[in-house]
Amino acid sequence: MFGSLLTPPISFSFVCPSVKLSLFIENYHAIPVKVIKFCAPELSNVLNELFNVCIDRGCVPDEFKYAMVTPLYKGKGDNNSLDNYRGISVLPPIAKVFEKIVSKRIIHYFESNKLFFSNQHGFRSNHSCETALLSIIDRLKNNMNKNKINLALFIDFKKAFDLINPKLLIIKLMNYGFDNNAIHLFMDYFKNRMQITKIGDMLSPICDLLNGVPQGSVLGPLLFLIYINDMGLCNELDIELFADDTTITMSDQSLENLITSFKLKIEAILEWVKYNQLIINWSKTKAMFVTRKQVNIPTEICICNEPIEVVKVFKLLGVHIDNSLSFHEHIKTIKRLVNKKLYSIKNIFYLAFDVKVQFFKTFILPHFDYCSGLHVYLTKTQIESLEKFHKVCLFRLLGIKVFGMNSNEQLEVLAKYNILPYKMRIFQRFNSLFHKIINNNILNNFYEN
C-alpha cells in the first residue's frame, strides 16, 4: 500500500541507538520544536532516508514510541475520579512528522476507495461537529414533520481510545486491503510502546502500553476511526459518529413499537461492542424522545438490563439539544457564556482599543460562530434575539453603537474594524458551509431539503 513515501528507498543498515529509556525521555522531549524547525533544511535529507528505511523494512524506531503522558481534566464530573481525566501523550516531535506522512497516505487510500463510513464526521476533511449535528437534526426534523416519534440514544464509551485492541486493529487493516509491508509497519508500531505519566514535577515508573492508541499522536485518532469504522454496517439503525461520540436514532408512529423495535435492533451494536472489546459507560449514556406528539414519555428505558435515563435536554458536541428541537437552551447557553467572557474582559478597562477588538474576535465571536449552520432551524425571533445580543456585545466592550441600523449601515460603521454585521457574518459562514456540502458531496439529504 505504502511503497516509498518520499523518495526511492535508500539501502543501508539501520540500527536504533541503545539509549537508556529514562535518560532518553528526559533529554529527547526537552529538545524544543523551534530548534527542529530551525534545523529543518539540514535535517530533511537525513529524515527522508530514515523514514523511507522504516517504511521499506516495516519497522518503527523504539525511540518514536516513548510517550510522556499528562492527565487532562475533562472539565466535568468528580475531579477525583480517574474516569474524568484524559491522558494526553507528548511524543517526540520527529515521531509526529513520521506519523503525519503515514497518516496522509492512509487517509488518501481510504478516501479514494470510499472506505470510511459515510456518517463518520470526526477527524476527516470537510467534516466537523457542525456536519454531524446537521445530519442528526435534519433526520429528526424530517421525522417530526411526518408526525413520527424519534428515539435518540447518546452512547458514551468508557476510555475508548485506551481500549483499542492492536491485534483486532491489524486484522481490520488486512481486511481493508493493506499490503504485507504496511501490516508489518503497524505491527511494529504497537510493539514496545512505553510511557511515563507526569503530574507536576512527579514522574511515574515506566510502563508498557499494551492496548489503545496514544491520544496526542497524529496516527492515534485515524487508527481509532478505522477501528470503529465497521460499527455502522452491522445494524438497521441510523448512526452518526464523531470519533467516539455515537448517536443512534430511530423513529416510529407508535411509542410502544418504537421502544420495542429499538431494543431488538440495537442488539447488533451491543454485540459489535462486545466483540471489539469496548465498554459502554451506561451511567453517562442518555436517551431522548424527540416529538411534537402529546405522549407519555417514560423517565427511563432499559437496554441490555441497564436503566438509561431519558432526558429533555442533552449537550451533544457542544450544542444543547432539547426534545422539541426548539433550541431555546442552546441560545441561553450562548448568552450565558458570552456574558461571562464580557464580564472578564470588560474589567480590563485599561487595554488599548485595538486589543479589545482582538479580544472581541478571539473570545466573543467564536460563541456566535460555533455550528452557525444550525441557524436554518432557528426562528426569526431567535435570530433577531442573537443579533440584538451581538450589538449589545459591541457596545459593552467597544462602545460601538449600531442599534436601529440596517445591515448596510452597520457594515459601513464596522468595516474599519474588519467586523461584519451579525446577519451578514452568519450568511457568509452558511454560504461557505453550503459550498463545502455541494462540492464534497456530503449531507445530501440536508442539501436536498
Side-chain angles (χ1 to χ4, degrees):
M1 171 190 163
F2 288 117
S4 174
L5 295 182
L6 300 173
T7 62
I10 311 296
S11 178
F12 67 92
S13 177
F14 171 68
V15 180
C16 295
S18 176
V19 183
K20 188 178 179 182
L21 181 57
S22 59
L23 185 61
F24 173 83
I25 290 181
E26 181 180 351
N27 294 319
Y28 191 74
H29 280 226
I31 301 176
V33 177
K34 287 184 179 179
V35 174
I36 297 175
K37 287 183 177 180
F38 183 78
C39 299
E42 289 74 22
L43 289 174
S44 58
N45 289 333
V46 177
L47 295 180
N48 178 47
E49 294 180 358
L50 171 63
F51 294 163
N52 279 319
V53 168
C54 294
I55 293 163
D56 187 45
R57 300 190 178 186
C59 66
V60 179
D62 283 347
E63 285 79 7
F64 286 8
K65 306 173 188 177
Y66 305 150
M68 186 85 72
V69 178
T70 302
L72 182 66
Y73 180 53
K74 294 180 180 179
K76 56 182 179 180
D78 183 7
N79 58 9
N80 291 317
S81 173
L82 295 178
D83 290 338
N84 295 322
Y85 285 83
R86 182 180 289 109
I88 302 299
S89 299
V90 179
L91 297 165
I94 294 176
K96 287 191 173 184
V97 176
F98 176 69
E99 289 193 11
K100 189 170 185 178
I101 294 170
V102 175
S103 175
K104 284 185 176 180
R105 292 299 301 270
I106 297 174
I107 291 172
H108 175 74
Y109 176 74
F110 266 77
E111 294 288 2
S112 60
N113 290 283
K114 298 181 179 180
L115 296 176
F116 279 124
F117 176 50
S118 59
N119 290 345
Q120 172 59 265
H121 300 265
F123 309 120
R124 294 179 62 192
S125 61
N126 301 312
H127 293 76
S128 61
C129 294
E130 188 170 29
T131 59
L133 285 164
L134 287 173
S135 184
I136 293 168
I137 295 169
D138 186 63
R139 183 181 298 114
L140 297 177
K141 278 279 188 181
N142 285 336
N143 291 330
M144 289 174 69
N145 292 336
K146 296 174 184 176
N147 206 29
K148 290 184 177 182
I149 304 171
N150 294 289
L151 172 54
L153 185 69
F154 308 104
I155 294 180
D156 183 88
F157 286 108
K158 186 176 182 180
K159 301 290 183 183
F161 280 73
D162 299 328
L163 293 177
I164 288 180
N165 186 318
K167 293 181 180 178
L168 277 177
L169 178 60
I170 296 298
I171 293 172
K172 295 188 180 194
L173 294 178
M174 293 172 65
N175 289 327
Y176 283 121
F178 282 46
D179 62 24
N180 290 335
N181 196 45
I183 293 299
H184 287 143
L185 181 70
F186 282 103
M187 289 176 67
D188 195 70
Y189 176 83
F190 284 104
K191 283 183 182 177
N192 302 323
R193 297 203 74 90
M194 297 184 182
Q195 67 181 34
I196 286 180
T197 302
K198 181 180 180 182
I199 301 177
D201 296 328
M202 303 293 291
L203 295 177
S204 73
I206 299 167
C207 63
D208 297 324
L209 188 64
L210 302 178
N211 282 332
V213 292
Q215 294 192 60
S217 69
V218 177
L219 270 175
L222 177 58
L223 294 177
F224 179 79
L225 292 194
I226 295 172
Y227 191 79
I228 66 170
N229 195 51
D230 55 341
M231 180 182 180
L233 308 177
C234 63
N235 68 94
E236 304 173 50
L237 300 171
D238 293 314
I239 297 182
E240 297 290 339
L241 302 172
F242 186 90
D244 60 334
D245 285 304
T246 304
T247 303
I248 302 173
T249 59
M250 184 180 173
S251 65
D252 199 288
Q253 297 286 352
S254 164
L255 178 63
E256 184 178 344
N257 291 342
L258 174 61
I259 296 174
T260 303
S261 182
F262 187 87
K263 289 181 179 180
L264 289 175
K265 292 181 178 180
I266 201 173
E267 288 180 0
I269 294 180
L270 299 178
E271 191 67 26
W272 179 92
V273 170
K274 180 180 178 181
Y275 177 80
N276 286 273
Q277 301 178 16
L278 297 176
I279 300 174
I280 295 177
N281 190 340
W282 292 107
S283 64
K284 293 185 178 180
T285 296
K286 307 296 180 183
M288 179 189 291
F289 290 92
V290 182
T291 181
R292 293 194 185 100
K293 285 187 173 183
Q294 298 296 321
V295 291
N296 293 322
I297 302 297
T299 56
E300 69 176 30
I301 59 174
C302 190
I303 297 176
C304 193
N305 297 321
E306 295 286 346
I308 308 298
E309 181 187 2
V310 175
V311 296
K312 294 182 179 180
V313 179
F314 185 80
K315 186 179 180 181
L316 178 64
L317 302 176
V319 173
H320 286 82
I321 299 174
D322 58 84
N323 59 0
S324 61
L325 298 185
S326 67
F327 294 99
H328 293 320
E329 189 63 33
H330 173 56
I331 293 173
K332 286 180 182 178
T333 302
I334 291 175
K335 292 182 177 181
R336 183 174 66 250
L337 293 174
V338 169
N339 272 324
K340 285 183 179 179
K341 295 287 177 65
L342 275 178
Y343 179 78
S344 301
I345 296 171
K346 193 178 178 183
N347 286 339
I348 314 176
F349 59 90
Y350 51 83
L351 290 177
F353 183 82
D354 289 346
V355 177
K356 289 184 178 181
V357 170
Q358 191 57 46
F359 266 71
F360 177 79
K361 295 178 180 179
T362 305
F363 296 104
I364 303 299
L365 283 183
H367 290 290
F368 288 100
D369 291 344
Y370 184 70
C371 292
S372 53
L374 294 177
H375 276 66
V376 295
Y377 303 114
L378 302 184
T379 64
K380 181 180 179 181
T381 302
Q382 289 174 322
I383 293 174
E384 289 175 348
S385 171
L386 286 173
E387 182 186 25
K388 182 179 178 180
F389 188 60
H390 183 267
K391 293 176 181 178
V392 169
C393 293
L394 286 170
F395 177 70
R396 288 172 59 185
L397 181 61
L398 306 175
I400 300 174
K401 295 182 180 181
V402 290
F403 301 104
M405 296 182 183
N406 60 36
S407 293
N408 289 328
E409 292 170 337
Q410 292 178 48
L411 180 61
E412 189 176 339
V413 173
L414 298 174
K416 59 183 176 181
Y417 311 114
N418 198 24
I419 299 174
L420 281 176
Y422 181 73
K423 287 184 178 178
M424 285 188 177
R425 184 177 184 86
I426 295 302
F427 184 69
Q428 182 188 63
R429 291 180 63 82
F430 186 76
N431 279 341
S432 176
L433 171 67
F434 215 71
H435 181 270
K436 185 188 300 183
I437 290 172
I438 295 173
N439 285 274
N440 295 285
N441 196 29
I442 58 175
L443 298 183
N444 291 324
N445 290 334
F446 177 81
Y447 165 63
E448 291 169 3
N449 290 331

